[in-house]
Amino acid sequence: MTPKIKPLVAGNWKMNGLHASLHELEAMTKGYNTELRGFLDMLVCVPATLIHSAAKRTSNTSVMIGGQDCHINASGAHTGDCSAEMIADCGANAVIVGHSERRTDHGESSTTVKAKAGAGLRVGLLTIVCIGETEAERKSGRTLEVLSEQLGQSMPDSATADTVAVAYEPVWAIGTGLTPAVEDVHEAHGFMRKQLTERFGNEGSRMRLLYGGSVKPENATELMAIENVDGALVGGASLKAADFLGICNAYRNIKNT
Ligand code: PEP
């Protein structure tokens, strides 16, 4: 029997947001507390500059705040970087590692991503490991091969269902308005579930598998209802409370149908 998994809806603000934007976070928190707490966990990954203020504003709630990347080391001569220790020290509960924009813009390999995930776990942050194929890889029929490689090489051996979530984000679907067909998401998530269960046993069968790439209130119910989709990683639509809460509400619709 498939274990019961509490969904996780995570927002990724990327390099967007100033202190003035935190009113959106407050509206998200309000919506979460009044209507959604029983259905899902909510996480908002803000820029490093906002983690401390965001964590303060959500401190009396169960909304989690996360960073979008971390360095492998705890401290040292790495100008411009933030360590997992620093992110946790600002009040964050989580961190994203291996986002395709990091893999592309900063040349991060899966080996680096694995080490970053290890850093997140070292300080007790819920760690979201991102993987996903490019358009060229999909067109050449290599999607599952790429997912297998990235998953195998990016996940730390100590990952558990409570400490790590995996986000499947087809690179070509990020910020483009395009999404894969339901059957393709179904296939990718089923494949990841099998790989994780083979490697991590019971923990792998309970690990949350998020879908990411152009999730919006309009397509959330269809995407979130797919087997082995245990939540979403949301970019653009996480900047506005109305859109983000609209996506979260998909879980209420799913429960009520
Ligand atoms: C993302 O950056 O993780 C993402 C999924 O972006 P968007 O929702 O804007 O496609």
Side-chain angles (χ1 to χ4, degrees):
M1 209 177 84
T2 323
K4 183 102 198 57
I5 297 175
K6 190 171 187 197
L8 169 66
V9 180
N12 173 15
W13 283 14
K14 309 192 185 192
M15 198 173 72
N16 296 295
L18 303 173
H19 278 89
S21 322
L22 290 176
H23 68 94
E24 294 291 346
L25 177 68
E26 278 168 7
M28 288 171 194
T29 304
K30 206 166 160 206
Y32 179 72
N33 285 338
T34 46
E35 298 178 326
L36 294 161
R37 246 188 325 182
F39 294 97
L40 59 113
D41 289 333
M42 180 186 278
L43 164 67
V44 185
C45 297
V46 296
T49 49
L50 292 181
I51 293 175
H52 186 247
S53 305
K56 262 174 117 172
R57 293 199 197 198
T58 52
S59 62
N60 291 326
T61 77
S62 39
V63 171
M64 294 181 283
I65 297 300
Q68 301 171 8
D69 175 52
C70 65
H71 197 275
I72 294 164
N73 297 337
S75 62
H78 304 288
T79 303
D81 280 320
C82 284
S83 68
E85 280 75 1
M86 291 167 171
I87 291 169
D89 186 50
C90 283
N93 321 91
V95 67
I96 298 172
V97 296
H99 190 283
S100 68
E101 286 152 17
R102 299 288 316 174
R103 290 181 188 258
T104 307
D105 297 357
H106 300 270
E108 291 184 5
S109 66
S110 290
T111 311
T112 305
V113 174
K114 181 178 181 176
K116 289 188 171 203
L121 296 184
R122 181 175 73 219
V123 297
L125 294 174
L126 169 64
T127 301
I128 301 183
V129 177
C130 302
I131 61 170
E133 82 286 0
T134 62
E135 188 178 17
E137 288 163 343
R138 172 160 286 270
K139 281 194 171 146
S140 61
R142 294 189 53 231
T143 298
L144 298 186
E145 190 191 318
V146 170
L147 295 187
S148 170
E149 245 172 59
Q150 290 187 354
L151 199 56
Q153 294 170 17
S154 306
M155 292 289 281
D157 294 330
S158 57
T160 67
D162 292 332
T163 57
V164 173
V166 176
Y168 167 54
E169 300 207 297
V171 178
W172 52 273
I174 296 178
T176 58
L178 303 172
T179 50
V182 166
E183 312 79 74
D184 292 335
V185 177
H186 183 264
E187 182 185 42
H189 279 244
F191 179 78
M192 295 189 298
R193 176 68 69 211
K194 188 164 175 286
Q195 294 246 127
L196 290 169
T197 305
E198 277 168 13
R199 179 167 166 196
F200 296 103
N202 185 40
E203 294 298 322
S205 71
R206 296 193 304 113
M207 218 167 260
R208 291 188 280 198
L209 306 183
L210 316 183
Y211 167 77
S214 296
V215 180
K216 310 212 171 326
E218 301 77 49
N219 60 20
T221 303
E222 185 180 49
L223 287 165
M224 297 304 109
I226 300 170
E227 190 183 2
N228 287 309
V229 173
D230 312 307
L233 181 54
V234 185
S238 70
L239 295 170
K240 294 277 171 239
D243 291 339
F244 196 51
L245 291 171
I247 291 167
C248 293
N249 267 311
Y251 279 102
R252 300 204 323 158
N253 300 341
I254 291 165
K255 283 247 174 168
N256 294 328
T257 49

